[in-house]
Amino acid sequence: MRRGMGPIIRATLLEAVRRREMGVVLILMGAMLALLLAARVVGLERPAAGTLLLNLGLTLTVMAAHLVTLLVAARQLPQEMEQRTLYPLLARPIARHVMVGAKWAAAAVVGTGFFYLFVLPVWWLVPRLECYDSRTLVQLLVLQPPALMLTAAIAILTSVYLPRALAVTVALLVVFGTDYIVRWATRWPVLVWIPNPMRLNLVLRYTDGIGPLSSVEFAALATWTLLWTAALLGQAMLRFERRPL
Amino acid sequence: MSIPIQVEGLTVSYGRGAKRVRAVQEVSFTVAEGECVGFIGANGAGKSTTIKALMGFIFPEQGETRLYGAPSGDPEGRRHVGYLPEVALYYPFMRAGELLTLYGSLSGLTRADLRRRIPIVLEQVGLGGRERELLRTFSKGMQQRLGIAQALIAEPKLLILDEVSAGLDPLGRHDLRALLQELRKAGRTIFFSSHELSEVESLCNRVIMIDQGRLCHEVTQAELQAVGRKQSLESFFISTVRGGAAT
């Protein structure tokens, strides 16, 4: 890890944990877990109801993890600039790109931590009355961290070009809207290659009982995501290095 | 070691096209080791722009700025620098100790160094015992004191302080003056901008005046003493900037 990244990551994590918005999201997720627990205690008779609940719980967890990552990442740099805390930070012997990298890493860590904190209780609480492929579940769990890294990179990139509110809006559209664009724009196959964190969301595949991706498909998807993450983050770093503050 | 501050033909502009404004024009000066230099000028004269260029936050259109021989954009040059920005709202979710830990760690202090330095700098700026308090409860003056503490945390050889006494009450300004005197006696190089000209007069061995983006006068210690016998620095500054006699 580059020198200077650690303290910035720690400060960003501290902020994420202490912000009221995070408390609200945690309460909502807790309420969802309580509902799933109630369903488990009462007992579900119809297998389809169990699948529906599992799908709902896992989808909400994935969406919330991406939302948290996006919000943490997109507000970091604009907020530092608005409050002028950027100056004492950059007055230290650290390069600007190191700071961007640290903010990105912290957002990805927050999102990943959030995802694992909730995905396992959701999976455990919902009674599984139908057959699901556990190999697909493993792929789902493994592919989310790179997906969250891509979301953080998209949000960081928008935040070095745009003011906070606009950066959040554009990042939301890219992260959650690209999947719809790709689905509907079948005329332009090239769109399949644009950055799309939701493409790594295998919840539906898992709850539909479909088997795992082939190893080639899995590796290609992970590589494609990591390459886009590196490209977007690199561009954000380059832009921030050259930006007058 | 090389010269702490070198500014050579610095020109900085803001905006584009017809809206382009030249904030600083061909400014040159140096600050030698152990000097305490005041940087004074009216609002919008170019003080903060010069300091931002010096710190590498903005890029010159022409000329260059160096800290200890390294170009301002080079992080290595900032290794021995403590900087106080004009205004900053420090992270409201953090405690004073956590903030100083962040800045100290970024400056390369170890945990042992931090444990030793944090109580000392908080005491120096009059915030002793407030290490555990959340910054959202701090007043503007306390935030400014904390800003000075973060500039001092890594015991820098060079202090660059922008509007150092902004937001401080008379007591705070008095304490700050004593602190800067102490640092000066300890051999630190200090470069600061301030609108408190009596403070500048009492602390500095050289004063650089800037007006409408250009250096208009440089007053040495001998001149300052001569000025002090006849008139205050404030009167001298006003007459220099306005080009006439001041009352």
Side-chain angles (χ1 to χ4, degrees):
Chain A
M1 191 187 285
R2 294 290 298 268
R3 208 182 75 80
M5 279 186 90
I8 299 175
I9 292 175
R10 275 196 295 278
T12 310
L13 293 178
L14 199 64
E15 186 202 6
V17 171
R18 288 189 185 162
R19 279 189 81 102
R20 283 191 192 133
E21 293 95 313
M22 181 60 94
V24 173
V25 176
L26 289 175
I27 289 169
L28 289 174
M29 292 301 290
M32 185 190 73
L33 288 182
L35 279 175
L36 296 180
L37 181 66
R40 188 183 180 90
V41 171
V42 172
L44 295 171
E45 286 176 8
R46 293 173 57 196
T51 297
L52 179 70
L53 272 186
L54 186 63
N55 185 288
L56 198 68
L58 292 177
T59 302
L60 278 176
T61 304
V62 169
M63 294 289 183
H66 281 272
L67 188 66
V68 164
T69 307
L70 187 151
L71 291 177
V72 171
R75 73 172 169 229
Q76 286 304 315
L77 297 172
Q79 188 171 274
E80 295 272 12
M81 280 187 265
E82 281 166 27
Q83 299 185 340
R84 292 167 181 244
T85 42
L86 195 66
Y87 298 132
L89 270 184
L90 291 178
R92 314 285 152 185
I94 56 160
R96 290 186 185 191
H97 69 267
V98 171
M99 197 181 112
V100 174
K103 296 283 187 188
W104 165 79
V109 166
V110 169
T112 305
F114 184 96
F115 173 70
Y116 286 123
L117 183 69
F118 287 102
V119 78
L120 298 174
V122 165
W123 177 81
W124 181 77
L125 280 174
V126 178
R128 287 175 298 282
L129 304 173
E130 290 184 311
C131 274
Y132 310 107
D133 197 316
S134 54
R135 290 170 303 167
T136 313
L137 177 69
V138 170
Q139 287 189 340
L140 185 155
L141 296 177
V142 171
L143 284 178
Q144 271 318 291
L148 291 163
M149 284 184 213
L150 179 58
T151 292
I154 291 167
I156 286 277
L157 181 65
T158 58
S159 76
V160 296
Y161 283 99
L162 303 167
R164 184 162 39 161
L166 204 55
V168 170
T169 311
V170 172
L172 277 170
L173 286 172
V174 174
V175 170
F176 294 107
T178 305
D179 211 30
Y180 294 98
I181 296 171
V182 171
R183 260 187 247 165
W184 292 107
T186 46
R187 278 188 192 180
W188 299 288
V190 70
L191 286 178
V192 174
W193 296 101
I194 64 174
N196 179 10
M198 288 303 137
R199 198 167 168 205
L200 284 78
N201 178 4
L202 300 185
V203 169
L204 198 61
R205 191 179 182 100
Y206 173 62
T207 55
D208 280 354
I210 302 171
L213 301 169
S214 70
S215 50
V216 172
E217 211 178 346
F218 179 83
L221 202 54
T223 309
W224 166 78
T225 305
L226 292 175
L227 284 176
W228 265 115
T229 303
L232 298 177
L233 185 63
Q235 177 58 31
M237 287 173 166
L238 206 62
R239 164 73 183 154
F240 197 65
E241 280 283 350
R242 292 173 182 175
R243 183 179 167 167
L245 301 169
Chain B
M1 188 175 264
S2 42
I3 301 165
I5 294 179
Q6 284 172 287
V7 177
E8 197 63 52
L10 178 70
T11 299
V12 182
S13 298
Y14 289 118
R16 284 179 187 176
K19 288 183 180 173
R20 195 163 180 82
V21 177
R22 210 159 244 194
V24 171
Q25 294 183 59
E26 290 165 28
V27 165
S28 300
F29 63 88
T30 56
V31 175
E33 197 77 59
E35 267 196 303
C36 180
V37 177
F39 193 40
I40 63 173
N43 288 332
K47 300 187 298 294
S48 291
T49 301
T50 305
I51 290 176
K52 279 185 180 176
L54 197 52
M55 293 303 299
F57 301 146
I58 52 176
F59 309 112
E61 190 183 331
Q62 280 170 32
E64 61 173 3
T65 54
R66 288 177 173 270
L67 293 169
Y68 287 104
S72 290
D74 183 352
E76 208 46 43
R78 299 194 291 266
R79 187 164 297 282
H80 306 291
V81 179
Y83 168 71
L84 171 76
E86 191 180 356
V87 187
L89 291 166
Y90 296 99
Y91 312 102
F93 60 89
M94 270 192 184
R95 298 176 203 283
E98 289 168 346
L99 184 90
L100 296 177
T101 300
L102 166 67
Y103 292 134
S105 313
L106 288 174
S107 298
L109 296 190
T110 61
R111 280 188 190 177
D113 293 334
L114 288 166
R115 267 198 299 275
R116 180 180 61 84
R117 285 292 297 158
I118 289 172
I120 293 173
V121 287
L122 284 175
E123 198 63 52
Q124 276 182 315
V125 298
L127 293 174
R130 291 181 181 266
E131 202 176 322
R132 304 270 314 147
E133 287 183 29
L134 275 172
L135 302 188
R136 68 166 66 102
T137 65
F138 275 30
S139 67
K140 196 179 167 191
M142 286 162 79
Q143 290 256 352
Q144 184 71 357
R145 285 166 185 259
L146 193 65
I148 298 165
Q150 65 78 22
L152 294 173
I153 186 73
E155 298 183 87
K157 289 178 183 164
L158 167 64
L159 279 167
I160 297 177
L161 313 169
D162 196 0
E163 301 293 356
V164 63
S165 51
L168 292 179
D169 57 22
L171 201 65
R173 283 205 293 272
H174 173 268
D175 293 348
L176 173 72
R177 203 172 296 181
L179 175 62
L180 292 179
Q181 287 279 19
E182 194 185 305
L183 292 166
R184 196 189 145 185
K185 278 181 194 159
R188 303 284 169 80
T189 308
I190 305 171
F191 178 70
F192 71 100
S193 74
S194 177
H195 287 299
E196 287 294 323
L197 299 192
S198 58
E199 186 176 84
V200 176
E201 200 170 7
S202 67
L203 285 168
C204 299
N205 46 7
R206 192 153 59 95
V207 177
I208 297 171
M209 294 183 193
I210 186 166
D211 183 40
Q212 294 176 24
R214 289 180 184 275
L215 288 197
C216 61
H217 211 87
E218 214 174 308
V219 196
T220 61
Q221 192 166 32
E223 284 176 304
L224 266 176
Q225 282 165 355
V227 165
R229 280 196 289 272
K230 286 189 231 161
Q231 58 184 336
S232 67
L233 179 63
E234 188 175 275
S235 308
F236 181 73
F237 168 68
I238 294 169
S239 61
T240 305
V241 169
R242 294 210 169 136
T247 51

